[in-house]
Amino acid sequence: MIILGIDPGSITTGYAFLKAEKGKVDVLEYGVFHAKATLPVEDRLLQIVTELEARLDVYRPEALAMEGVFFAKNAKSALVLGHIRGAILVACRRRGMSFSEYPPKIVKQAVTGDGSAAKEQVANMVFARLGIEHSDLPLDASDALAIAWTHANPAPLSAALVARAGKPVHRKKKASVSEWKALVEKMGGTIQ
């Protein structure tokens, strides 16, 4: 199976093509698609997707693994990221590719064993796991490798966490003001 890993971005999008066969994973190609920040969003999307489609025609992957949605710093950034994710997903689905999404924490956990690992740690570990030389490419490229590697090597914990994503989380009831006040007084404090 050939897997495409994508770390989406509206200026720099990381990509990685891996071939997973009989427990062995080979790197076919990885890098970044870069669009000029001065271009309008629609032209950046066109440039990134056009470059991606050329690679899709060469490698013909069966699966797309993409980094999951995270909360952007502002609504405009989230909207632009949604556009690039959607454009990539459409290009891949037109070619019949399956789609899986992995939250950053799951990818970090799968690659390094630590869900809060730094991007540099993820890069170093994924390069070691795949047996490739460390590269000066942007971290978006190593993130795409990590996402594709996670898809090719689903650890039981990662699979369980991904399966759990999207299901309702049962949270405890929030404490009332009177309960907080009672706790503070029990601990010897006062509320003014």
Side-chain angles (χ1 to χ4, degrees), residues 56-69:
L56 291 174
D57 292 340
V58 170
Y59 294 109
R60 301 192 184 283
E62 291 100 347
L64 166 63
M66 194 170 352
E67 182 174 69
V69 178

Side-chain angles (χ1 to χ4, degrees), residues 1-3 18-26 62 152-153:
M1 169 186 279
I2 296 178
I3 301 162
L18 301 183
K19 184 175 185 178
E21 197 171 61
K22 298 178 184 172
K24 186 175 187 256
V25 179
D26 294 314
E62 291 100 347
N153 297 283

Side-chain angles (χ1 to χ4, degrees), residues 9-13 33-36 39-56 80-91 94-95:
S10 63
I11 297 170
T12 303
T13 290
F33 302 124
H34 187 76
K36 290 183 181 178
L39 291 174
V41 172
E42 61 274 16
D43 291 336
R44 285 185 272 155
L45 290 173
L46 179 62
Q47 183 176 348
I48 288 169
V49 171
T50 300
E51 289 183 45
L52 172 63
E53 288 179 323
R55 302 285 193 321
L56 291 174
V80 171
L81 184 59
H83 288 323
I84 190 65
R85 287 174 50 81
I88 290 168
L89 186 55
V90 166
R94 277 193 179 147
R95 287 165 172 79

